[in-house]
Amino acid sequence: MRFDVFTIFPEYLAALELSLIGKARGQGLLEVAVHDLRDFTTDRHRTVDDSPYGGGAGMVMKPEPWAQALESVLDPHADAKPTLIVPSPAGEVFTQALAHEFAARQHLVFACGRYEGIDERVLDWAADHYTVRPVSLGDYVLNGGEVAVLAMVEAIGRLVPGVVGNPESLVEESHADGLLEYPVYTKPAAWRDREVPEVLLSGNHGKIAKFRREQQLRRTVARRPDLIAALDAGSLGKADRNVLWELGYAVVDRQLVKREAAT
Ligand code: 6GU
């Protein structure tokens, strides 16, 4: 799998040389190329921005360097269009499902905007050559796309087979089944007057699995009720439904609804 990143701050992406992603690059599992957008300018000052038509605050990224940059990584022999990911707080929200979708692609290109964003015509033009996907990390504003690309390349890259050493760690983690992960503990069994839950020391794997599942449900209800509302209640087991009933939820048309709202 290949990633190309275009940015005016290539040093920002140096973190992709570290840890799991850096190691995967060394092993040839991932190819990551970071490009300086200013290398695709033609004027003496290497200008990438200009004032917005229609007025308003800030600057807008000019279209010409972006077109040169995005053309430079197109492969005329590729059998599918690459995906162009444009980090933007105005994009669709990046989720684990989107990470899986992108991890199945051969070639991802990231266009990091700065200032107020990239001239909209770049995205229109790019759609002839790319599948264009404006993507947001969430409902808050960053100064540019670079930090978002670090997050997305890590979330996508770790799903590529071989990048994470133990593939089981991909199954038992937050969001894998629409719930948050259960809490984890290690030695010592007692620490500063706090004990590890006894069931985890019991060696009873059935009881441990049941305990962990209940913890996942409790945690998700407390922290992310939006994820509970998005569950398909029809696919939940009896034990799950009982825990959720105790936590104040009822099933109506395969949807989990707050019990007081249901009556
Ligand atoms: Cl992807 N980019 C920027 N600039 N801000 C963001 C974001 C992305 N996601 C959340 N805020």
Side-chain angles (χ1 to χ4, degrees):
M1 166 160 216
R2 180 178 174 90
F3 299 86
D4 284 288
V5 182
F6 291 96
T7 168
I8 58 167
F9 295 119
E11 301 90 339
Y12 235 116
L13 285 301
L16 297 178
E17 283 157 34
L18 305 174
S19 189
L20 226 62
I21 298 299
K23 196 171 150 213
R25 292 171 73 176
Q27 294 171 325
L29 292 168
L30 304 176
E31 251 185 296
V32 183
V34 178
H35 313 270
D36 188 341
L37 180 69
R38 291 192 199 276
D39 291 346
F40 300 89
T41 57
T42 52
D43 66 309
R44 219 161 51 84
H45 301 288
R46 313 214 318 149
T47 311
V48 293
D49 63 326
D50 208 334
S51 51
Y53 276 117
M59 300 290 269
V60 174
M61 294 190 104
K62 294 167 61 63
E64 303 95 325
W66 275 113
Q68 292 296 326
L70 296 176
E71 277 175 340
S72 75
V73 294
L74 287 174
D75 173 2
H77 304 294
D79 31 45
K81 280 182 183 177
T83 298
L84 178 63
I85 300 176
V86 185
S88 163
E92 70 179 296
V93 175
F94 188 64
T95 59
Q96 191 66 13
L98 210 49
H100 276 281
E101 181 185 333
F102 292 152
R105 309 302 311 262
Q106 276 308 308
H107 188 192
L108 300 179
V109 178
F110 294 86
C112 297
R114 281 266 150 182
Y115 319 112
E116 299 308 307
I118 302 171
D119 187 306
E120 189 67 20
R121 292 168 296 176
V122 173
L123 279 67
D124 298 339
W125 163 81
D128 288 346
H129 309 280
Y130 288 93
T131 302
V132 179
R133 302 290 290 271
V135 178
S136 168
L137 288 194
D139 293 338
Y140 46 84
V141 179
L142 303 169
N143 285 333
E146 286 78 7
V147 166
V149 169
L150 287 173
M152 289 191 269
V153 169
E154 182 159 316
I156 296 163
R158 64 193 294 285
L159 298 176
V160 171
V163 172
V164 168
N166 179 4
E168 273 188 47
S169 33
L170 297 179
V171 181
E172 286 199 21
E173 65 186 9
S174 286
H175 301 291
D177 54 5
L179 296 174
L180 302 183
E181 185 52 295
Y182 51 77
V184 295
Y185 304 87
T186 187
K187 291 179 275 298
W191 174 77
R192 299 196 179 187
D193 291 335
R194 289 162 171 81
E195 315 256 315
V196 170
E198 206 175 301
V199 59
L200 298 178
L201 312 177
S202 70
N204 184 330
H205 296 291
K207 272 194 170 173
I208 291 171
K210 186 169 180 289
F211 170 80
R212 285 177 165 168
R213 182 74 182 180
E214 179 171 339
Q215 292 294 311
Q216 281 192 278
L217 291 166
R218 287 184 177 279
R219 209 178 230 201
T220 310
V221 164
R223 299 178 184 175
R224 294 293 303 276
D226 58 308
L227 295 182
I228 297 291
L231 288 174
D232 172 13
S235 70
L236 295 176
K238 189 93 179 88
D240 286 346
R241 289 156 174 257
N242 282 340
V243 170
L244 287 166
W245 176 268
E246 275 163 34
L247 294 174
Y249 285 86
V251 177
V252 178
D253 292 341
R254 297 178 74 113
Q255 291 273 109
L256 284 153
V257 293
K258 281 284 212 12
R259 246 188 296 155
E260 61 267 35
T263 55

